Amino acid sequence: MSGISAPRGTKDILPGEVEKWQYMEDIVRRVCARYGYREIRTPLFEHTELFQRGIGEATDIVEKEMYTFTDRGGRSITLRPEGTAPVVRAYLEHKLYGSAQPVRLFYHGPMFRYERPQAGRYRQFHQFGIEALGSQDPLMDTETILVALTIFEEMGLEGLHIEVNSMGCPRCRPMYREGLKHYLKGRLDRLCPVCRTRYELNPVRILDCKENTCREELEQVPEIGDYLCPECRDHFELVQRYLTSLGRPYSLNPRLVRGLDYYTKTVFEVIAPGMGAQRAVAGGGRYDGLAEECGGRATPAVGFAAGMDRLLLALESQGKELSLSRELDAFVAIVGDKARMMALKVAVALRDHGFRVEMETEGRSLRAQLKTADRLGAAHVIIIGEEELGRNAAVIRNMEDGGQQEVPLAQLIESPESLSLQKISG
Ligand code: HAM
């Protein structure tokens, strides 16, 4: 091939690897069903304006990470960098506010951000997420965190850690902004150039800066907790009380501000140990103003999204064996040209009975066929040979112990379950 490879920051998920994704997706589906979340699938691209308005103009995502292009009709289109704004758009567009509230939705699929690729950070990555729209109850914030933790536990992840904070609301956040700006004003020349521009546009983002100089200047920074209005304070206290009553440990991180501007009240991240800089496997929170920001009716909502690529890395770094099914129940081998027709019949019959079966097509020696069957991970090889055909029989070879047994062809075709053959794959 002429050396064309997958674009930087993307990857192929090959057979062998794909089963691990299916394993994660199955758990997401199962847990979401238990909590009443139903799947939604939104387009991979949206009008750029949705993300500009939803995520916020002065965020890294909108400023420099979106895959935006003009389509042939002259519209500005963006590959979705996240799933929340599209779900809110769909909720409004299809008037889901007309059905029983809150509406609980989940999704999974690829997202796109033009970031600097490194371990755990890609340009096409995969998220699953849940969004509960139409409730302002702090119980829903707690439920969201619980769904995340339940899914991660069922995947077998250990040592996860939850950080929570409150971002306040349009009533109290402006006061915090002012307090923050007041504190930072005399320190501006010691902040990094990016934070200096953030100072005017989006000062809260400065709390998230990873530069050492900025971190030093932030040591005594005022905390948003001291500025919350009574409603936000009560809400946050209830979320914490519910978590505690469920025996779910968490820590308060007053610097947790998240990279998207739509958050109000509760925000949280789930951190996996030993993951270096990309240690957040999930993040989310409440976004009571997003629906209005998108031009719709006011709709309180809360949700989270998890990075599935990172979850897989975390699972692997913890040495977790993902329960993967075996590849193949049986390989049908052929000895002699006259056996080909019967081999085809046997393979089709076994497949019709639900077995996973491959058959020989290349006319190789039996030895070579057994080797192929072994490489495919087949549990059994069914040998259809001219000699056995004369006796209306076939041979079943157990690949584990090498044991062989001659069986009547009719039984193999009509009731394979009655033989030593077993479906070993789920
Ligand atoms: P986010 O924090 O931008 O939030 O992304 C959620 C998770 O996606 C991150 O914690 C991380 O695990 C994963 N992730 C993000 N960017 C990348 C990347 N470039 N490569 C690999 N993984 C990545 C959101 O997207 C919000 N929509 C979450 C939400 C839902 N808030 C409310 N509802």
Side-chain angles (χ1 to χ4, degrees):
M1 213 179 84
S2 61
I4 300 176
S5 53
R8 199 164 127 75
T10 72
K11 60 174 184 292
D12 301 303
I13 303 174
L14 300 175
E17 190 70 10
V18 97
E19 288 79 3
K20 300 179 186 170
W21 289 78
Q22 290 165 346
Y23 167 80
M24 292 194 291
E25 288 158 10
D26 283 349
I27 292 173
V28 168
R29 232 174 255 123
R30 275 208 311 269
V31 175
C32 283
R34 289 200 322 249
Y35 276 82
Y37 287 77
R38 299 178 65 196
E39 185 171 356
I40 180 167
R41 301 188 183 194
T42 63
L44 294 195
F45 58 82
E46 298 271 356
H47 292 293
T48 302
E49 196 189 349
L50 175 70
F51 301 114
Q52 286 169 333
R53 284 215 245 160
I55 300 173
E57 296 273 10
T59 56
D60 282 355
I61 296 180
V62 172
E63 270 178 358
K64 49 186 191 208
E65 293 173 1
M66 294 206 303
Y67 279 91
T68 297
F69 59 96
T70 307
D71 74 5
R72 287 171 191 274
R75 300 168 203 91
S76 180
I77 293 293
T78 293
L79 299 186
R80 63 178 187 193
E82 60 107 44
T84 310
V87 166
V88 169
R89 187 222 13 91
Y91 173 89
L92 296 169
E93 188 170 334
H94 302 287
K95 302 188 175 53
L96 298 186
Y97 43 79
S99 50
Q101 304 295 296
V103 173
R104 291 177 169 87
L105 300 168
F106 82 91
Y107 51 89
H108 66 87
M111 307 288 161
F112 308 87
R113 296 185 194 174
Y114 191 79
E115 295 200 78
R116 199 165 48 81
Q118 51 189 283
R121 183 189 284 177
Y122 313 99
R123 290 184 174 166
Q124 174 174 319
F125 59 99
H126 303 79
Q127 284 186 343
F128 76 82
I130 68 168
E131 314 292 349
L133 302 111
S135 169
Q136 49 188 347
D137 196 315
L139 275 176
M140 288 307 301
D141 308 42
T142 314
E143 178 180 291
T144 306
I145 297 174
L146 216 54
V147 172
L149 294 179
T150 309
I151 289 175
F152 300 152
E153 276 164 15
E154 298 213 356
M155 285 179 180
L157 273 174
E158 284 166 16
L160 295 181
H161 177 77
I162 321 169
E163 291 187 351
V164 297
N165 192 21
S166 174
M167 296 296 293
C169 68
R171 269 192 308 281
C172 50
R173 195 166 343 152
M175 289 185 282
Y176 178 60
R177 258 175 83 117
E178 284 320 303
L180 188 60
K181 283 178 86 171
H182 181 75
Y183 168 86
L184 291 169
K185 198 167 184 164
R187 297 173 161 82
L188 265 183
D189 51 347
R190 292 190 293 280
L191 297 183
C192 74
V194 180
C195 283
R196 260 177 265 152
T197 59
R198 283 174 176 156
Y199 179 79
E200 282 307 332
L201 288 173
N202 202 347
V204 179
R205 288 255 71 73
I206 297 177
L207 296 179
D208 209 18
C209 187
K210 306 283 180 288
E211 295 289 331
N212 282 339
T213 48
C214 294
R215 291 191 155 238
E216 279 164 26
E217 292 306 320
L218 289 172
E219 262 163 29
Q220 305 292 322
V221 74
E223 294 185 354
I224 191 159
D226 296 328
Y227 289 76
L228 294 179
C229 63
E231 188 193 316
C232 287
R233 195 173 319 130
D234 289 350
H235 186 100
F236 194 36
E237 261 173 37
L238 278 173
V239 174
Q240 295 178 67
R241 287 220 324 246
Y242 295 147
L243 284 174
T244 306
S245 76
L246 290 167
R248 295 292 184 173
Y250 60 87
S251 57
L252 281 177
N253 177 359
R255 307 265 178 94
L256 178 64
V257 290
R258 312 271 303 122
L260 307 100
D261 275 355
Y262 48 60
Y263 291 107
T264 52
K265 295 188 173 142
T266 319
V267 287
F268 69 95
E269 282 189 352
V270 183
I271 310 294
M275 290 279 291
Q278 315 307 323
R279 47 191 213 118
V281 287
R286 182 162 277 287
Y287 48 93
D288 292 344
L290 180 54
E292 268 178 298
E293 204 64 59
C294 296
R297 54 156 64 193
T299 309
V302 57
F304 80 88
M308 300 184 77
D309 314 75
R310 285 188 198 175
L311 284 173
L312 198 52
L313 288 175
L315 282 166
E316 282 169 353
S317 80
Q318 295 188 3
K320 295 286 173 240
E321 271 287 321
L322 307 188
S323 31
L324 304 178
S325 55
R326 262 182 89 163
E327 326 277 312
L328 210 57
D329 295 314
F331 182 88
V332 178
I334 304 173
V335 183
D337 269 354
K338 294 204 185 90
R340 287 171 72 88
M341 188 83 82
M342 184 51 74
L344 180 62
K345 269 193 191 157
V346 168
V348 169
L350 288 173
R351 288 165 178 152
D352 287 349
H353 278 87
F355 290 91
R356 295 189 198 181
V357 175
E358 280 194 32
M359 69 177 287
E360 170 66 3
T361 50
E362 307 305 310
R364 287 173 285 205
S365 70
L366 180 59
R367 214 176 114 92
Q369 294 181 56
L370 289 176
K371 209 164 148 192
T372 303
D374 193 44
R375 288 181 64 183
L376 291 170
H380 294 92
V381 173
I382 295 169
I383 304 167
I384 311 291
E386 286 176 0
E387 207 185 303
E388 289 82 9
L389 274 188
R391 297 193 291 275
N392 282 322
V395 170
I396 298 181
R397 181 185 171 93
N398 184 322
M399 292 298 276
E400 198 111 301
D401 57 19
Q404 298 201 160
Q405 144 192 39
E406 196 168 296
V407 297
L409 264 177
Q411 196 181 353
L412 184 61
I413 290 174
E414 275 148 37
S415 55
E417 289 92 351
S418 65
L419 297 166
S420 65
L421 274 182
Q422 269 150 27
K423 286 176 208 150
I424 48 159
S425 37

